[in-house]
Amino acid sequence: DGGITQSPKYLFRKEGQNVTLSCEQNLNHDAMYWYRQDPGQGLRLIYYSQIVNDFQKGDIAEGYSVSREKKESFPLTVTSAQKNPTAFYLCASTDYPLEQPQHFGDGTRLSIL
Amino acid sequence: SQKIEQNSEALNIQEGKTATLTCNYTNYSPAYLQWYRQDPGRGPVFLLLIRENEKEKRKERLKVTFDTTLKQSLFHITASQPADSATYLCALDMAGGFKTIFGAGTRLFVKA
């Protein structure tokens, strides 16, 4: 079955540590997204990528970095510069033309040790 | 400022009744609007998409309306079941844009 796989399901970060969240899709979608979800707030866009080797900052990119070396993979690194990283992180993908729904993974919950 | 609002209070209804969830927005001119379902600890799952030139869209027990004058979408679940209990997210997309704007969601509880 096609879909998006996020790993790990739970992740703990120590002070000053960078951590990387994995996102893999086998839907052959060009566009991929990373969102952050906090209680009582809508999903907020961190980064998105329309095509391999290209990505753009979303609304809350500070303290995060991404890469898009392969079509199926879009890992997110939460750096030590992100002072409030505790949240539920969601990866999504969509196809062209636009006006297609986004397909989401089941998220990674990141907490601070 | 641009805002998308969904009722932050949970909606509690009896099984078999119709659930109606509201999505209001200001200072956006969306080309289309989407509704997603999200279960605890899971990612959102797409339900329905409605375009700006469509008034209503149906899928099985689900119905969505889109009023661009009122800047509002209503999401209805008829003959609701306890399995419909979840959080429902409204999302807006602008024409030609790559960014989808999500509401915070409304939690629905359906009692047997």
CSV table of all heavy atoms in Angstrom, one decimal, chain B residues 4-11 20-24 35 87-88 90 103-108:
chain,number,residue,atom,x,y,z
B,4,ILE,N,-8.4,31.7,10.4
B,4,ILE,CA,-9.4,30.6,10.1
B,4,ILE,C,-9.8,30.1,11.5
B,4,ILE,O,-9.0,29.7,12.3
B,4,ILE,CB,-8.7,29.6,9.2
B,4,ILE,CG1,-9.6,28.4,9.0
B,4,ILE,CG2,-7.4,29.1,9.7
B,4,ILE,CD1,-9.1,27.4,8.0
B,5,GLU,N,-11.1,30.0,11.7
B,5,GLU,CA,-11.6,29.7,13.0
B,5,GLU,C,-12.5,28.5,13.0
B,5,GLU,O,-13.5,28.5,12.2
B,5,GLU,CB,-12.3,30.9,13.7
B,5,GLU,CG,-11.4,32.0,14.0
B,5,GLU,CD,-12.1,33.2,14.7
B,5,GLU,OE1,-13.3,33.4,14.4
B,5,GLU,OE2,-11.5,33.9,15.5
B,6,GLN,N,-12.3,27.6,13.9
B,6,GLN,CA,-13.2,26.5,14.1
B,6,GLN,C,-13.6,26.5,15.6
B,6,GLN,O,-12.8,27.0,16.4
B,6,GLN,CB,-12.6,25.2,13.8
B,6,GLN,CG,-12.2,25.0,12.3
B,6,GLN,CD,-11.7,23.6,12.0
B,6,GLN,OE1,-10.5,23.4,11.8
B,6,GLN,NE2,-12.6,22.6,12.0
B,7,ASN,N,-14.7,26.0,15.9
B,7,ASN,CA,-15.2,26.0,17.3
B,7,ASN,C,-14.2,25.3,18.2
B,7,ASN,O,-14.0,24.1,18.0
B,7,ASN,CB,-16.6,25.4,17.4
B,7,ASN,CG,-17.3,25.8,18.7
B,7,ASN,OD1,-16.6,26.1,19.7
B,7,ASN,ND2,-18.6,25.7,18.8
B,8,SER,N,-13.6,25.9,19.1
B,8,SER,CA,-12.6,25.3,20.0
B,8,SER,C,-13.3,24.4,21.0
B,8,SER,O,-12.7,23.5,21.6
B,8,SER,CB,-11.8,26.3,20.7
B,8,SER,OG,-12.6,27.1,21.5
B,9,GLU,N,-14.6,24.6,21.3
B,9,GLU,CA,-15.3,23.7,22.2
B,9,GLU,C,-15.7,22.4,21.6
B,9,GLU,O,-16.1,22.4,20.4
B,9,GLU,CB,-16.6,24.4,22.7
B,9,GLU,CG,-16.3,25.6,23.6
B,9,GLU,CD,-17.6,26.2,24.2
B,9,GLU,OE1,-18.6,25.5,24.1
B,9,GLU,OE2,-17.5,27.3,24.7
B,10,ALA,N,-15.6,21.4,22.3
B,10,ALA,CA,-16.0,20.1,21.8
B,10,ALA,C,-17.5,20.0,21.5
B,10,ALA,O,-18.3,20.7,22.2
B,10,ALA,CB,-15.6,18.9,22.7
B,11,LEU,N,-17.8,19.2,20.5
B,11,LEU,CA,-19.2,19.1,20.2
B,11,LEU,C,-19.7,17.7,20.6
B,11,LEU,O,-19.1,16.7,20.2
B,11,LEU,CB,-19.4,19.2,18.7
B,11,LEU,CG,-20.8,19.0,18.1
B,11,LEU,CD1,-21.8,20.1,18.7
B,11,LEU,CD2,-20.8,19.1,16.6
B,20,THR,N,-23.0,19.1,13.0
B,20,THR,CA,-22.6,20.2,12.2
B,20,THR,C,-21.5,20.9,12.7
B,20,THR,O,-21.5,21.5,13.9
B,20,THR,CB,-23.8,21.1,12.0
B,20,THR,OG1,-24.9,20.4,11.4
B,20,THR,CG2,-23.5,22.3,11.1
B,21,LEU,N,-20.4,21.0,12.0
B,21,LEU,CA,-19.2,21.7,12.4
B,21,LEU,C,-19.0,22.9,11.5
B,21,LEU,O,-19.3,22.9,10.3
B,21,LEU,CB,-17.9,20.8,12.3
B,21,LEU,CG,-17.8,19.7,13.4
B,21,LEU,CD1,-18.8,18.6,13.2
B,21,LEU,CD2,-16.4,19.1,13.3
B,22,THR,N,-18.5,24.0,12.1
B,22,THR,CA,-18.3,25.3,11.4
B,22,THR,C,-16.9,25.7,11.2
B,22,THR,O,-16.0,25.5,12.1
B,22,THR,CB,-19.1,26.4,12.2
B,22,THR,OG1,-20.4,26.0,12.4
B,22,THR,CG2,-19.0,27.7,11.5
B,23,CYS,N,-16.6,26.3,10.0
B,23,CYS,CA,-15.3,26.8,9.8
B,23,CYS,C,-15.5,28.2,9.2
B,23,CYS,O,-16.2,28.4,8.2
B,23,CYS,CB,-14.6,25.9,8.7
B,23,CYS,SG,-13.0,26.6,8.2
B,24,ASN,N,-15.0,29.2,9.9
B,24,ASN,CA,-15.1,30.6,9.4
B,24,ASN,C,-13.7,31.2,9.1
B,24,ASN,O,-12.7,30.8,9.8
B,24,ASN,CB,-15.7,31.5,10.5
B,24,ASN,CG,-17.2,31.1,10.8
B,24,ASN,OD1,-18.0,31.1,9.9
B,24,ASN,ND2,-17.5,30.7,12.0
B,35,TRP,N,-11.7,19.4,4.2
B,35,TRP,CA,-11.9,18.9,5.5
B,35,TRP,C,-11.2,17.6,5.7
B,35,TRP,O,-11.2,16.7,4.9
B,35,TRP,CB,-13.4,18.7,5.8
B,35,TRP,CG,-14.2,19.9,6.0
B,35,TRP,CD1,-14.7,20.8,5.0
B,35,TRP,CD2,-14.5,20.6,7.2
B,35,TRP,NE1,-15.3,21.8,5.6
B,35,TRP,CE2,-15.2,21.8,7.0
B,35,TRP,CE3,-14.2,20.3,8.6
B,35,TRP,CZ2,-15.6,22.6,8.0
B,35,TRP,CZ3,-14.6,21.1,9.6
B,35,TRP,CH2,-15.3,22.3,9.3
B,87,THR,N,-11.3,14.5,15.8
B,87,THR,CA,-11.2,16.0,15.6
B,87,THR,C,-11.2,16.2,14.1
B,87,THR,O,-10.6,15.5,13.3
B,87,THR,CB,-9.8,16.5,16.1
B,87,THR,OG1,-9.8,16.3,17.5
B,87,THR,CG2,-9.6,17.9,15.8
B,88,TYR,N,-12.0,17.2,13.7
B,88,TYR,CA,-12.2,17.5,12.3
B,88,TYR,C,-11.5,18.9,12.0
B,88,TYR,O,-11.8,19.9,12.6
B,88,TYR,CB,-13.7,17.5,11.9
B,88,TYR,CG,-14.2,16.1,12.0
B,88,TYR,CD1,-14.7,15.6,13.2
B,88,TYR,CD2,-14.2,15.3,10.9
B,88,TYR,CE1,-15.2,14.3,13.3
B,88,TYR,CE2,-14.7,14.0,10.9
B,88,TYR,CZ,-15.2,13.5,12.2
B,88,TYR,OH,-15.7,12.2,12.2
B,90,CYS,N,-10.5,22.0,9.3
B,90,CYS,CA,-10.8,22.7,8.1
B,90,CYS,C,-9.5,23.3,7.5
B,90,CYS,O,-8.6,23.7,8.3
B,90,CYS,CB,-11.8,23.8,8.5
B,90,CYS,SG,-12.0,25.1,7.3
B,103,GLY,N,-7.1,25.1,10.2
B,103,GLY,CA,-7.7,25.5,11.4
B,103,GLY,C,-7.3,24.6,12.5
B,103,GLY,O,-6.6,23.5,12.3
B,104,ALA,N,-7.6,24.9,13.8
B,104,ALA,CA,-7.2,24.2,14.9
B,104,ALA,C,-8.0,22.9,15.2
B,104,ALA,O,-7.6,22.0,15.9
B,104,ALA,CB,-7.2,25.0,16.2
B,105,GLY,N,-9.2,22.9,14.5
B,105,GLY,CA,-10.0,21.7,14.6
B,105,GLY,C,-11.1,21.8,15.6
B,105,GLY,O,-11.0,22.5,16.6
B,106,THR,N,-12.1,21.0,15.5
B,106,THR,CA,-13.2,20.8,16.4
B,106,THR,C,-13.3,19.3,16.8
B,106,THR,O,-13.3,18.5,15.9
B,106,THR,CB,-14.5,21.3,15.9
B,106,THR,OG1,-14.5,22.6,15.6
B,106,THR,CG2,-15.6,21.0,16.9
B,107,ARG,N,-13.3,19.1,18.1
B,107,ARG,CA,-13.4,17.7,18.6
B,107,ARG,C,-14.9,17.3,18.7
B,107,ARG,O,-15.7,18.0,19.2
B,107,ARG,CB,-12.8,17.6,20.0
B,107,ARG,CG,-12.7,16.2,20.6
B,107,ARG,CD,-11.4,15.6,20.1
B,107,ARG,NE,-11.1,14.3,20.8
B,107,ARG,CZ,-11.6,13.1,20.4
B,107,ARG,NH1,-12.3,13.0,19.3
B,107,ARG,NH2,-11.3,12.0,21.1
B,108,LEU,N,-15.2,16.2,18.1
B,108,LEU,CA,-16.6,15.7,18.1
B,108,LEU,C,-16.6,14.4,18.9
B,108,LEU,O,-15.8,13.5,18.7
B,108,LEU,CB,-17.0,15.4,16.6
B,108,LEU,CG,-18.3,14.7,16.5
B,108,LEU,CD1,-19.5,15.6,16.9
B,108,LEU,CD2,-18.5,14.2,15.0
